Amino acid sequence: MPTGREKVVLLSGDGIGPEVALEARLVLEELVPEVIIDEQLIGAAAIRATGSPLPQETIDACRSAVAVLKGPVGDPEFDAADVRPEQGLLALRAALDTYANLRPAVLGDVDVLIVRELVGGLYFGASGVRDDGTVFDTCEYHPRQVERIVRRAFRLADSRRGLLTSVDKANVLETSRMWRRVVDEVAPEYPGVRVEHMLVDNAAMQLATTPQQFDVIVTENMFGDILSDLAAAVTGGLGMAPSASLSDGGPGLFEPVHGSAPDIAGRGIANPVAMLRSTVLLLEHGLACPESAVALSEALKAAIESSPTQDLGGTATTAEFGAAVREQLAVDGALTSP
Ligand code: NAD
């Protein structure tokens, strides 16, 4: 439970970011009024104000916070610029060493949690161009990097339905064979968890056709990138998908999966569900408020039914959806403020 001194940094971001971040702020102010919300700059807004997509002041504020809630960054104005808003996001992940990316995908009887390694593999290995023009990217993992993400996935599976699917391409890749070995070495420490190994191509097919079979999926960076977007697609789309990126001991980073949606920015019609589901993850993993997390999650389900936004086939504006969520929280007696 928050003691009253905890600080959450709110980074509204660009495009629809400030619109959905406002709804998250209003919910947090009502659910956990004792928590301090410190707004800081990131992305295009930060470039305009300071010249940097991630000012030092923002890094310092995030490091001293218990959690960071972030809207999307990105602005077409900077598409061809040397300094781009998205650089701020990658730099923030690195500054906070958030190596574990949790991507829940929930709809009906589907409840999958994808645990993606976020700071290793192909996206961080050596890359370049050889003299003969060949271009290369390298996938590298140290067993320690695998062990820490695998352990976290085991703990999460242990707290859920007890099934862990480790996804790799062990029939082809050396890194995958090592990944599989580490999973099997850690497994005996978690006797309550059943482990299965699945090749990534099969995992994609199974996720698309029978996603109900999965509980927790753990996988490396690029496979997780692709599979988690697929899982989002089969459970309602981008406007619905939240994420949590966690470190060991430091503040976690909670953010929607979608981008800044410049095509609808400023019109007040963005779906705030992904941002509010990221707030659920923040309440659960960042603030250790499981009751408030469940209350917000339930209120979101009710508001999705009663006040869907345009992308869900309804007519509610961002603000109307947010109001419906807060009304539901009040009806459920989840608010601590009068
Ligand atoms: P996008 O996610 O912004 O938009 C894709 C489509 O989905 C658009 O039609 C958009 O209107 C719709 N959409 C997205 N979120 C929505 C929501 N909450 N409610 C209703 N509709 C929604 O992806 P994009 O167009 O490829 O990228 C736009 C910008 O966002 C780019 O600058 C990109 O770099 C950036 N981006 C940032 C992040 C991040 O900050 N984590 C992630 C992805 C993309």
Side-chain angles (χ1 to χ4, degrees):
M1 286 294 290
T3 61
R5 290 183 304 277
E6 276 100 343
K7 180 180 75 174
V8 168
V9 167
L10 180 62
L11 306 171
S12 293
D14 306 316
I16 61 169
E19 298 165 42
V20 293
L22 173 63
E23 300 310 321
R25 181 182 187 118
L26 293 173
V27 160
L28 277 178
E29 281 173 352
E30 296 208 2
L31 266 180
V32 282
E34 64 279 24
V35 168
I36 298 161
I37 300 176
D38 176 14
E39 288 216 29
Q40 297 285 339
L41 291 171
I42 192 170
I47 297 174
R48 288 192 192 97
T50 71
S52 162
L54 185 67
Q56 189 60 44
E57 200 180 328
T58 299
I59 299 176
D60 294 343
C62 291
R63 283 199 171 125
S64 66
V66 70
V68 179
L69 183 60
K70 182 194 146 293
V73 294
D75 188 315
E77 184 191 325
F78 294 95
D79 275 355
D82 287 339
V83 179
R84 291 169 47 86
E86 293 83 350
Q87 291 164 348
L89 170 58
L90 295 181
L92 183 62
R93 286 178 181 160
L96 300 179
D97 191 26
T98 49
Y99 68 87
N101 186 222
L102 276 49
R103 294 269 304 258
V106 179
L107 183 71
D109 58 352
V110 179
D111 183 358
V112 190
L113 176 62
I114 298 188
V115 181
R116 165 190 170 197
E117 203 289 327
L118 199 60
V119 295
L122 200 58
Y123 298 178
F124 287 83
S127 63
V129 184
R130 294 207 182 90
D131 291 345
D132 69 352
T134 307
V135 182
F136 64 95
D137 297 288
T138 320
C139 185
E140 286 183 32
Y141 270 108
H142 191 282
R144 274 196 303 274
Q145 279 178 295
V146 178
E147 195 181 324
R148 67 176 181 170
I149 188 80
V150 160
R151 264 183 209 290
R152 198 179 270 269
F154 267 106
R155 285 200 300 274
L156 287 162
D158 215 10
S159 70
R160 291 169 47 106
R161 300 193 302 281
L163 173 62
L164 180 64
T165 307
S166 175
V167 171
D168 60 40
K169 189 73 181 170
N171 53 343
V172 178
L173 299 175
E174 205 58 58
T175 44
S176 282
R177 284 191 279 276
M178 181 272 284
W179 182 284
R180 224 174 241 225
R181 200 177 62 241
V182 172
V183 170
D184 288 338
E185 281 166 8
V186 173
E189 295 173 35
Y190 299 88
V193 178
R194 186 161 68 84
V195 184
E196 62 179 15
H197 297 284
M198 196 177 280
L199 297 175
V200 63
D201 36 357
N202 184 25
M205 192 176 66
Q206 301 290 334
L207 256 182
T209 53
T210 50
Q212 305 82 352
Q213 68 179 283
F214 295 106
D215 179 12
V216 177
I217 293 176
V218 64
T219 191
E220 60 93 55
N221 201 344
M222 186 179 67
F223 296 161
D225 190 8
I226 298 166
L227 290 182
S228 54
D229 270 23
L230 175 58
V234 297
T235 53
L238 271 183
M240 310 289 278
S243 80
S245 302
L246 306 177
S247 65
D248 282 332
L253 177 61
F254 302 85
E255 57 180 328
V257 169
H258 62 72
S260 55
D263 54 334
I264 58 164
R267 291 170 54 198
I269 58 167
N271 181 353
V273 170
M275 187 72 176
L276 291 169
R277 282 184 168 165
S278 303
T279 310
V280 170
L281 294 175
L282 179 145
L283 287 163
E284 189 182 340
H285 297 279
L287 285 169
C289 292
E291 292 90 6
S292 295
V294 171
L296 179 53
S297 181
E298 291 301 314
L300 281 169
K301 277 185 205 155
I304 290 166
E305 285 290 313
S306 69
S307 314
T309 45
Q310 278 185 23
D311 58 311
L312 301 179
T315 56
T317 63
T318 313
E320 285 165 353
F321 185 92
V325 172
R326 296 194 301 280
E327 271 163 36
Q328 187 64 40
L329 285 170
V331 168
D332 295 344
L335 303 181
T336 50
S337 56

